[in-house]
Amino acid sequence: MTTTYREAMRAAIRDAMTRDERVFLMGEDVDRYGGCFAVSLGLLEEFGPERVRDTPLSESAFVGAGIGAALGGMRPIVEVMTVNFSLLALDQIVNNAATLLHMSGGQLNVPLVIRMTTGAGRQLAAQHSHSLEGWYAHIPGIRVVAPATLEDARGMLWTALCDPDPVVIFEHGGLYNLEGELAADAGPVDIDRAAVRRTGEDLTVIAYGGTVATALAAAEELSGEGISAEVIDLRTLRPLDIPTLVASVTRTHRAVVVDEGWRTGSLAAEVAARLAEDAFYDLDAPVARVCSAEVPIPYARHLEEAALPQVGGIVAAARRAMGA
Amino acid sequence: MTTTYREAMRAAIRDAMTRDERVFLMGEDVDRYGGCFAVSLGLLEEFGPERVRDTPLSESAFVGAGIGAALGGMRPIVEVMTVNFSLLALDQIVNNAATLLHMSGGQLNVPLVIRMTTGAGRQLAAQHSHSLEGWYAHIPGIRVVAPATLEDARGMLWTALCDPDPVVIFEHGGLYNLEGELAADAGPVDIDRAAVRRTGEDLTVIAYGGTVATALAAAEELSGEGISAEVIDLRTLRPLDIPTLVASVTRTHRAVVVDEGWRTGSLAAEVAARLAEDAFYDLDAPVARVCSAEVPIPYARHLEEAALPQVGGIVAAARRAMGA
Amino acid sequence: MSRRRAAPVADAERAHGLLLLREMLRIRRFEERCVERYSAAVIRGFMHLYIGEEAVAVGVMQALTSDDAVVATYREHGHALARGIPAGALMAEMYGKVEGSSRGRGGSMHIFDAGARFYGGNAIVGGGLPVAAGLALADQMQGRERVTACFFGEGAVAEGEFHETMNLAALWRLPVLFCCENNLYAMGTALARSEAETDLAVKAAGYQMPAWAVDGMDVRAVEDAARKATTQIRAGGGPVFLELRTYRFRAHSMYDPERYRDKAEVETWHERDPISSFEALLTASGGLTDDELDEIEAAAAAEVEAAVAFAEAGTFEPVEDLTRFVYSEVRP
Amino acid sequence: MSRRRAAPVADAERAHGLLLLREMLRIRRFEERCVERYSAAVIRGFMHLYIGEEAVAVGVMQALTSDDAVVATYREHGHALARGIPAGALMAEMYGKVEGSSRGRGGSMHIFDAGARFYGGNAIVGGGLPVAAGLALADQMQGRERVTACFFGEGAVAEGEFHETMNLAALWRLPVLFCCENNLYAMGTALARSEAETDLAVKAAGYQMPAWAVDGMDVRAVEDAARKATTQIRAGGGPVFLELRTYRFRAHSMYDPERYRDKAEVETWHERDPISSFEALLTASGGLTDDELDEIEAAAAAEVEAAVAFAEAGTFEPVEDLTRFVYSEVRP
Ligand SMILES: Cc1ncc(C[n+]2csc(CCOP(=O)(O)OP(=O)(O)O)c2C)c(N)n1
Ligand SMILES: Cc1ncc(C[n+]2csc(CCOP(=O)(O)OP(=O)(O)O)c2C)c(N)n1
Ligand SMILES: [Mg+2]
Ligand SMILES: [Mg+2]
């Protein structure tokens, strides 16, 4: 049936709450308001205020409460409205969620799922346009995923909830209105492997979340120039599925990594470094990175567009990689 | 004269407070206690409680107050006891300190210096052993430096205070007792360039902060095996001094990057990626990374040692890079 | 005699009444035009309207001098205009033009004006409070008798930064005027659903900070409270907390179906519209004539049109300048 | 008659008095041995002693059942022992041995015991509070009549997480017993230099949370307060805040020259030593004989020696296992 990324996400939450009574949703304005991006709209009526739980503006407390609730036998889905505000809860994520299993010598699991919206592109300016997936992917003890398709929006949540360890799900704000066909019986999907979204021979374009569509559009344009680009969607940002990347680059010998994060210290840097380590002798050109410019994201549309990865930039990087 | 890293840091603070009455030190227990690592010992007696200002345990508020005080014409040195606690103030650093100049279209400067202790190695376990320099180096709008020598401990602070933009200074906890000779007239040093700490021909070992000494020890051991390693101290983590690194690697054709941060998404990943981009055709072997294991730092001494970069690991990586 | 002396006073009072009305009206008309410009998709991103809350910003600003500082939130059009930032610079900012107060880099949520000591324009709830404390600390350490007025919504009270800053300001007796704009909702969350203690003055007592609740729909009540508070603060009495009881007439932002409150409630509050009620009050007391009202409306309309024209005529910053203002261009 | 009936009660009371003393003494002796082991450089890292504060943990634990949960700080040896975690597992943990409560991965600051529902051992000031609220939320949602006791120092009161968690717990009426161990100092910072309002019960009022101050040097007073509080909480009355007034006899951690307080102050507090004063009280009331005291001391000494022997005999985790427990070994 035809659906949207937003509806797929909502279906996934509804499905999880129906399957397992230990599952509940907690976050700012998730109830009557339906969530900042209307993902949880209608769930309050269906499951009630206990399980669709509105919180005060206390990011650290309610994320930490999610950790405690998970320790206490629940399966919380904590919605942090956006990654921008997650900085206020980062201590709980880094120092508790990610470390409790280890600090307790394997005694304490934290089966917690944290969902947050990420990314720029809607002229929300410097404080509301962060892409910090790379930071989260740096933290041992948590898993990080980025659904870029309807199938993943529908299927990653349940798998994440079944995982005994904390999983952070990044939903790019630009994807909620993405519309398309989704099998009526679409269900859980793995959260371990990267996926080849388009096959190609000449070079590999690696992207995730909000930039997968951009990468595919660039591949389309490149095909017009006779350049056959393979497009890989990372899907899981921690741990990275390096074998899938290396297998592709070993065939294509060239790679472009796309990342909406600022270039320096981006997740793209890790991917590029790993490829240069594990596929060094197969690379015919430097791994190129197409990332956001090193600037707090500006409000003005033309400046914001110039700051973010675009089709043109990916195509240009691909041409350079091809030595064209 | 003979001095320690701690004393050099203290001399730098005293010097700054003497030179400029707008400078003051603010942080937890900086006054009578003398700071968690005794850096500010004696300064209270010299400058009084107004300028050596003890704060409540409110990381977000006093770091934010430092930002406001800088806007108001002061030159604050805010001491966040350790990088571990800085997560509680990260919102202020990322969303205010780093963005105000840009969000105001160039109107508002934030001449703030934030000092924090970083690193592991003292059996302080998972919550007290973070090395998050790489995260800070990801943020446009701030500068990040890591003094690894007595000269830099003595000289970087004043330069940082004179900078119109926020500067974060990372002091590795293992360095405070470092003892050595420092010129009596030692003064301000640049915070822009990396420094070659040992020259060599066969490969380049790149390190910063707490791992520079480890890298030098490894170079010494390697020289015994007839491998001549050049050792570069990054000094400034943002912006990175790439030209100095490329110049060296263009001669040596091999590089090992040492970083106490967790490997995935580390600052070492950025350095490796940049070298693979800018020195691709000069590299005779993959750029190797010697980082911390992907584990919350364990308390037990043998496990902690195994988790952190050691001389042996650097030597082994160098040998591999040499194809030995 | 007394008549003779009374007269000028009355005149001054009358003039001040007209000024308060004028200030509130120019904010109202300016934002009504913003809505229209937003619908025309010229203004983009998040835009939060102050309509219904004008008495708060206008009342508080009366107690501030040009030396004082202001820190506000993403709902700051009213504060910026009341502080004297040109309407044209605001409109141009929302157009994303170089002529905007932040050269178009900030947009509606990030209005700044160093000259007016207007420090934003902060879009992280609670994020402005520590900065305000720091501005006040700088004044205190440099022996200046200034006040820093910090505006924030009642929703921010739940944030840790509110707690940390209230304590720090009270502990160090910093010259901060905390202006909590209690419009009863944080997006869709009613105060009672986010605070165990909904009497905010009681919270201030937890920091030994003087606090009082004020009718935020009555511009004169707000001005009086603000004057009383700033006098106390300038005298070295330390920070003061004002709970300004008001109401947001429009949606939280431009995207908000308002499922969390019913029309009836909104209607009742409309009856207390700070502008129409003040108009009525002035008229009744002979403080406002129809001609004066027409003149004020005309002036506001003219100012708004001039602002739009200024914005339309503005230019876009060259894309080559994208990475300017990340670091200062001049370093010693 | 009444005599006859009174007797068993008296016996029970007497036995309980001896138990309280026994519990406090084993903590004291255990930590004295830790100091010696630390000086011998066998225990490393940060180690924070509870000496002087034993009455707090021992008193509160009396009011908890094995179903209840405990969240503590890095100063948690006393809480762990009072909760029934074997001294050997604690000592082995500080030795960094596999037989330690956290297999040697946590050390002194990170004691955990899932079976005892002892959730640490948190070394970020204020970091344990939100977790405690979550544990209580899980109980509330699952209809269990449990209490979560959350211990933290008065220094944590300045942290935003304290504020956010107090409000959340009160708003949702979560079954949390907040135990604020007010030992007057946060490292070297005296309460009056970190809080504008030093009466912590007043702060709790800001969240409409019942709160009372207790003499933390009097184990019976602590037990009574904790019983009263937990009864109220189990009855669905929502969270309670206890300010437990106590004093840290030793340095903040093993590295602290104590420049911030003078010997005289420490001396005065020593006169109120929770153990010797309780000993005297029991003896005076005939609740303790010299033989009994000797037996208790002997038992404590034996327990500590056994703990050391257990730790000494322990093994180190193989280095190959370094990256275990980062992620669960079994996934569905
Ligand atoms: C830390 C943080 N959390 C969440 C948000 C999203 N958000 C923006 S405005 C708002 C409501 C704030 O309400 P209030 O403080 O009462 O101010 P008002 O909008 O009513 O003026 C929220 C939740 C944010 N900007 N920052
Ligand atoms: C967030 C944070 N800031 C600072 C520290 C460093 N630190 C460790 S203990 C301590 C003092 C805490 O005092 P208090 O809460 O009163 O507990 P006490 O040590 O007195 O038992 C400080 C500042 C920390 N661990 N966490
Ligand atoms: Mg509000
Ligand atoms: Mg204390």
Side-chain angles (χ1 to χ4, degrees):
Chain A
M1 81 265 201
T2 322
T3 186
T4 63
Y5 186 95
R6 174 183 290 105
E7 288 159 1
M9 209 57 234
R10 184 185 306 139
I13 298 170
R14 178 185 291 114
D15 183 23
M17 302 240 277
T18 313
R19 282 184 191 223
D20 187 339
E21 63 183 7
R22 297 171 306 173
V23 173
F24 69 101
L25 176 69
M26 164 164 72
E28 292 163 4
D29 277 309
V30 294
D31 63 354
R32 296 189 219 180
Y33 201 95
C36 188
F37 301 92
V39 168
S40 55
L41 208 59
L43 296 180
L44 171 69
E45 293 68 16
E46 222 170 315
F47 299 99
E50 278 277 303
R51 296 182 67 196
V52 179
R53 189 174 277 268
D54 197 10
T55 66
L57 302 190
S58 307
E59 285 78 7
S60 198
F62 71 73
V63 168
I67 295 167
L71 288 172
M74 300 297 286
R75 291 290 178 277
I77 303 172
V78 174
E79 174 176 313
V80 176
M81 202 176 273
T82 76
V83 67
N84 310 290
F85 319 140
S86 75
L87 295 178
L88 294 164
L90 201 51
D91 168 63
Q92 286 296 324
I93 298 171
V94 170
N95 285 315
N96 284 338
T99 61
L100 281 166
L101 180 66
H102 186 262
M103 290 195 304
S104 67
Q107 294 181 76
L108 301 177
N109 281 104
V110 182
L112 165 71
V113 170
I114 299 174
R115 295 174 44 234
M116 48 179 107
T117 302
T118 185
R122 289 161 300 139
Q123 289 191 253
L124 302 184
Q127 296 180 330
H128 276 58
S129 303
H130 295 300
S131 293
L132 299 173
E133 292 89 324
W135 278 9
Y136 284 90
H138 180 58
I139 308 167
I142 65 172
R143 295 178 183 280
V144 182
V145 302
T149 64
L150 298 176
E151 288 69 22
D152 284 349
R154 177 68 181 81
M156 281 182 158
L157 180 67
W158 180 250
T159 314
L161 282 164
C162 295
D163 198 280
D165 303 314
V167 180
V168 179
I169 301 180
F170 282 100
E171 304 162 18
H172 193 287
L175 291 175
Y176 288 118
N177 294 328
L178 173 72
E179 202 174 82
E181 285 304 308
L182 181 67
D185 65 349
V189 297
D190 79 275
I191 55 169
D192 298 318
R193 289 185 302 284
V196 176
R197 298 296 183 198
R198 174 185 177 125
T199 56
E201 283 71 49
D202 303 335
L203 89 164
T204 306
V205 179
I206 300 162
Y208 67 89
T211 54
V212 172
T214 325
L216 286 167
E220 191 54 38
E221 189 169 321
L222 287 164
S223 70
E225 307 178 8
I227 299 175
S228 159
E230 179 147 298
V231 176
I232 296 182
D233 171 3
L234 288 174
R235 297 186 69 247
T236 296
L237 311 185
R238 183 180 185 92
L240 284 166
D241 174 12
I242 298 298
T244 299
L245 305 183
V246 170
S248 174
V249 172
T250 310
R251 276 192 298 101
T252 63
H253 308 294
R254 292 172 166 79
V256 175
V257 189
V258 187
D259 186 346
E260 206 177 285
W262 291 303
R263 177 187 172 95
T264 300
S266 57
L267 182 61
E270 177 62 28
V271 173
R274 284 304 296 275
L275 291 176
E277 284 163 2
D278 304 355
F280 185 75
Y281 301 100
D282 293 302
L283 285 171
D284 291 348
V287 176
R289 285 186 285 166
V290 179
C291 304
S292 282
E294 312 251 341
V295 57
I297 305 300
Y299 161 75
R301 186 201 214 110
H302 66 296
L303 293 179
E304 183 182 40
E305 276 174 3
L308 304 176
Q310 307 291 354
V311 173
I314 300 172
V315 168
R319 288 205 199 99
R320 275 194 303 278
M322 299 305 299
Chain B
M1 81 264 201
T2 324
T3 187
T4 63
Y5 186 96
R6 174 182 291 106
E7 286 160 1
M9 207 59 234
R10 184 184 307 139
I13 298 170
R14 178 185 291 114
D15 183 23
M17 303 239 275
T18 313
R19 284 183 189 224
D20 186 341
E21 62 184 9
R22 297 170 306 171
V23 174
F24 69 102
L25 176 69
M26 162 163 74
E28 291 163 5
D29 278 309
V30 295
D31 62 355
R32 296 189 219 180
Y33 201 94
C36 188
F37 300 91
V39 168
S40 55
L41 209 58
L43 296 180
L44 171 69
E45 293 67 15
E46 220 170 318
F47 299 99
E50 277 278 302
R51 295 182 68 194
V52 179
R53 188 173 278 268
D54 198 10
T55 66
L57 302 190
S58 308
E59 286 77 6
S60 198
F62 71 73
V63 168
I67 295 167
L71 288 172
M74 301 298 286
R75 290 290 179 276
I77 302 172
V78 173
E79 174 176 312
V80 176
M81 203 177 272
T82 76
V83 68
N84 310 290
F85 319 139
S86 74
L87 295 178
L88 293 164
L90 200 50
D91 168 63
Q92 285 296 325
I93 298 171
V94 171
N95 285 315
N96 284 339
T99 60
L100 281 166
L101 180 65
H102 185 263
M103 291 196 303
S104 66
Q107 295 181 75
L108 301 177
N109 282 103
V110 182
L112 166 71
V113 169
I114 300 175
R115 294 176 44 236
M116 48 180 106
T117 301
T118 185
R122 288 161 300 138
Q123 288 191 255
L124 302 183
Q127 296 180 330
H128 277 57
S129 303
H130 295 300
S131 293
L132 300 174
E133 292 89 324
W135 279 9
Y136 284 89
H138 180 57
I139 308 167
I142 65 171
R143 293 178 185 281
V144 181
V145 302
T149 63
L150 298 176
E151 288 70 20
D152 284 349
R154 177 66 182 81
M156 281 182 158
L157 180 67
W158 180 251
T159 315
L161 281 165
C162 295
D163 199 281
D165 303 314
V167 180
V168 179
I169 302 180
F170 282 100
E171 304 163 19
H172 194 287
L175 290 175
Y176 288 119
N177 295 327
L178 172 73
E179 201 174 85
E181 284 304 307
L182 181 66
D185 64 350
V189 298
D190 79 275
I191 56 168
D192 298 319
R193 287 185 304 283
V196 176
R197 298 296 182 199
R198 175 186 177 124
T199 56
E201 283 72 48
D202 303 335
L203 91 163
T204 306
V205 180
I206 300 161
Y208 68 89
T211 54
V212 172
T214 325
L216 287 167
E220 191 54 38
E221 190 171 321
L222 287 164
S223 71
E225 306 178 9
I227 299 175
S228 158
E230 179 147 296
V231 176
I232 297 183
D233 171 2
L234 288 174
R235 296 185 69 249
T236 296
L237 311 185
R238 181 179 186 94
L240 284 166
D241 174 12
I242 298 298
T244 299
L245 305 183
V246 170
S248 174
V249 172
T250 310
R251 276 192 298 101
T252 62
H253 309 295
R254 292 172 167 79
V256 175
V257 188
V258 187
D259 186 348
E260 206 176 287
W262 292 303
R263 177 187 171 96
T264 300
S266 57
L267 182 61
E270 177 62 28
V271 173
R274 284 304 296 274
L275 291 176
E277 284 163 0
D278 304 354
F280 185 75
Y281 300 99
D282 292 300
L283 284 171
D284 291 348
V287 176
R289 287 187 283 165
V290 178
C291 304
S292 282
E294 313 251 340
V295 58
I297 305 301
Y299 161 74
R301 185 197 215 114
H302 66 296
L303 294 178
E304 182 182 39
E305 277 175 2
L308 304 177
Q310 307 290 354
V311 171
I314 300 172
V315 168
R319 288 203 200 101
R320 275 194 304 278
M322 299 304 298
Chain C
M1 276 291 275
S2 67
R3 272 267 192 90
R4 267 244 227 67
R5 256 200 264 83
V9 179
D11 290 355
E13 264 177 31
R14 193 170 191 290
H16 189 61
L18 293 177
L19 176 141
L20 293 174
L21 179 62
R22 188 184 299 275
E23 287 298 292
M24 292 194 288
L25 249 167
R26 46 190 290 267
I27 295 171
R28 177 75 54 95
R29 300 296 173 245
F30 178 85
E31 286 200 314
E32 285 164 349
R33 194 73 155 87
C34 290
V35 175
E36 179 275 321
R37 294 286 73 200
Y38 196 94
S39 317
V42 173
I43 298 177
R44 308 299 303 271
F46 285 156
M47 182 169 82
H48 307 82
L49 301 175
Y50 202 54
I51 292 177
E53 310 186 35
E54 297 90 344
V56 174
V58 171
V60 171
M61 293 302 169
Q62 304 310 312
L64 303 183
T65 74
S66 60
D67 269 2
D68 296 330
V70 176
V71 174
T73 71
Y74 46 84
R75 194 181 299 286
E76 86 284 39
H77 301 164
H79 311 76
L81 288 171
R83 182 61 179 176
I85 300 174
L90 250 69
M91 190 60 82
E93 184 58 31
M94 292 189 253
Y95 268 66
K97 301 284 182 84
V98 185
E99 294 74 12
S101 43
S102 295
R103 305 178 62 96
R105 290 176 185 255
S108 167
M109 301 198 290
H110 303 300
I111 305 298
F112 292 89
D113 187 326
R117 300 204 74 225
F118 191 85
Y119 296 99
N122 193 304
I124 301 297
V125 171
L129 278 78
V131 175
L135 283 160
L137 174 61
D139 289 330
Q140 186 188 63
M141 292 184 80
Q142 291 169 89
R144 294 184 295 238
E145 248 194 28
R146 294 165 164 181
V147 169
T148 295
C150 180
F151 294 86
F152 54 95
E154 89 294 337
V157 170
E159 293 282 359
E161 288 188 325
F162 165 82
H163 172 70
E164 295 187 0
T165 307
M166 289 287 284
N167 180 51
L168 199 69
L171 183 70
W172 291 352
R173 305 183 66 75
L174 301 176
V176 181
L177 175 60
F178 290 95
C179 302
C180 181
E181 303 180 312
N182 182 1
N183 61 10
L184 301 178
Y185 294 91
M187 283 184 68
T189 303
L191 181 60
R193 289 174 49 245
S194 74
E195 288 295 329
E197 171 56 75
T198 54
D199 181 343
L200 304 180
V202 172
K203 293 199 159 286
Y207 311 95
Q208 288 210 342
M209 196 184 298
W212 51 92
V214 185
D215 177 356
M217 304 305 263
D218 177 345
V219 66
R220 277 185 170 146
V222 174
E223 175 176 0
D224 294 346
R227 287 193 185 281
K228 185 174 147 207
T230 50
T231 308
Q232 194 167 314
I233 295 167
R234 291 185 211 283
V240 173
F241 179 92
L242 294 183
E243 177 194 348
L244 301 143
R245 300 188 169 159
T246 181
Y247 198 78
R248 158 168 63 73
F249 286 177
R250 302 297 183 98
H252 164 71
S253 71
M254 301 308 287
Y255 319 103
D256 165 14
E258 297 188 63
R259 293 191 194 81
Y260 49 84
R261 61 183 187 183
D262 54 33
K263 299 258 164 304
E265 178 184 297
V266 183
E267 281 321 307
T268 348
W269 277 93
H270 267 290
E271 288 159 20
R272 302 188 44 209
D273 185 318
I275 297 179
S276 51
S277 59
F278 191 58
E279 254 176 40
L281 190 102
L282 288 183
T283 316
S285 65
L288 173 73
T289 66
D290 293 353
D291 293 354
E292 286 169 325
L293 181 56
D294 295 345
E295 180 276 326
I296 291 175
E297 283 284 10
E303 182 183 13
V304 172
E305 286 325 301
V308 172
F310 178 80
E312 299 277 356
T315 54
F316 286 111
E317 188 151 26
V319 169
E320 305 67 59
D321 290 354
L322 173 64
T323 57
R324 285 187 68 191
F325 314 122
V326 178
Y327 296 99
S328 303
E329 285 160 8
V330 183
R331 282 173 78 199
Chain D
M1 276 291 276
S2 64
R3 272 264 192 92
R4 265 241 226 73
R5 258 201 261 84
V9 179
D11 290 355
E13 264 177 33
R14 192 170 194 290
H16 188 62
L18 293 177
L19 177 142
L20 293 174
L21 179 63
R22 188 183 301 274
E23 287 297 293
M24 293 193 288
L25 250 166
R26 37 189 297 267
I27 296 172
R28 178 74 55 97
R29 299 297 171 245
F30 178 85
E31 287 200 313
E32 285 164 350
R33 195 74 156 86
C34 290
V35 175
E36 179 275 321
R37 294 287 70 200
Y38 196 95
S39 317
V42 174
I43 299 176
R44 308 300 303 272
F46 284 156
M47 182 170 82
H48 307 82
L49 301 174
Y50 201 55
I51 291 177
E53 311 186 34
E54 296 91 343
V56 174
V58 170
V60 171
M61 293 303 168
Q62 304 310 312
L64 304 183
T65 73
S66 60
D67 270 2
D68 295 330
V70 176
V71 174
T73 71
Y74 46 85
R75 194 182 300 285
E76 87 284 38
H77 301 164
H79 311 76
L81 288 170
R83 182 61 180 175
I85 300 175
L90 250 68
M91 189 61 79
E93 184 59 31
M94 292 189 252
Y95 268 64
K97 301 283 182 84
V98 185
E99 294 74 11
S101 42
S102 296
R103 304 177 62 95
R105 289 173 186 259
S108 166
M109 301 197 290
H110 303 300
I111 303 299
F112 292 90
D113 187 326
R117 303 205 70 225
F118 192 85
Y119 297 99
N122 193 304
I124 302 298
V125 170
L129 278 79
V131 175
L135 284 160
L137 175 61
D139 289 332
Q140 185 188 63
M141 291 183 80
Q142 292 169 91
R144 292 183 297 237
E145 248 196 26
R146 294 166 163 179
V147 169
T148 296
C150 180
F151 295 85
F152 54 95
E154 88 294 338
V157 170
E159 293 283 0
E161 289 187 324
F162 166 83
H163 171 71
E164 295 187 0
T165 306
M166 289 287 283
N167 180 51
L168 200 69
L171 183 71
W172 292 352
R173 305 184 66 74
L174 300 176
V176 181
L177 175 60
F178 290 95
C179 303
C180 181
E181 303 180 310
N182 182 1
N183 60 11
L184 302 178
Y185 294 91
M187 282 184 68
T189 304
L191 181 59
R193 289 174 48 245
S194 74
E195 289 295 328
E197 171 55 76
T198 54
D199 181 343
L200 304 181
V202 172
K203 293 198 160 286
Y207 311 94
Q208 288 211 341
M209 196 184 298
W212 52 91
V214 185
D215 177 356
M217 303 307 262
D218 176 345
V219 67
R220 279 187 168 142
V222 174
E223 175 177 358
D224 294 346
R227 287 191 185 281
K228 185 174 147 208
T230 50
T231 308
Q232 194 168 313
I233 295 168
R234 290 184 212 284
V240 173
F241 179 92
L242 294 183
E243 177 193 349
L244 302 143
R245 300 188 168 158
T246 180
Y247 197 78
R248 160 167 62 72
F249 287 176
R250 302 297 184 98
H252 164 71
S253 70
M254 301 308 288
Y255 319 103
D256 164 14
E258 298 186 63
R259 294 191 193 79
Y260 48 85
R261 60 183 187 182
D262 55 33
K263 298 261 164 302
E265 178 185 296
V266 183
E267 281 322 307
T268 349
W269 277 93
H270 267 290
E271 289 159 18
R272 302 189 43 209
D273 185 316
I275 297 179
S276 51
S277 59
F278 191 59
E279 257 175 37
L281 190 100
L282 289 181
T283 316
S285 66
L288 173 72
T289 67
D290 292 356
D291 293 356
E292 286 168 327
L293 182 56
D294 295 346
E295 181 275 326
I296 290 175
E297 284 283 10
E303 182 182 13
V304 172
E305 286 325 301
V308 172
F310 178 80
E312 299 276 354
T315 53
F316 287 111
E317 188 152 26
V319 169
E320 306 65 60
D321 290 355
L322 172 63
T323 57
R324 285 186 69 190
F325 314 121
V326 179
Y327 296 98
S328 302
E329 287 162 7
V330 184
R331 283 173 76 199

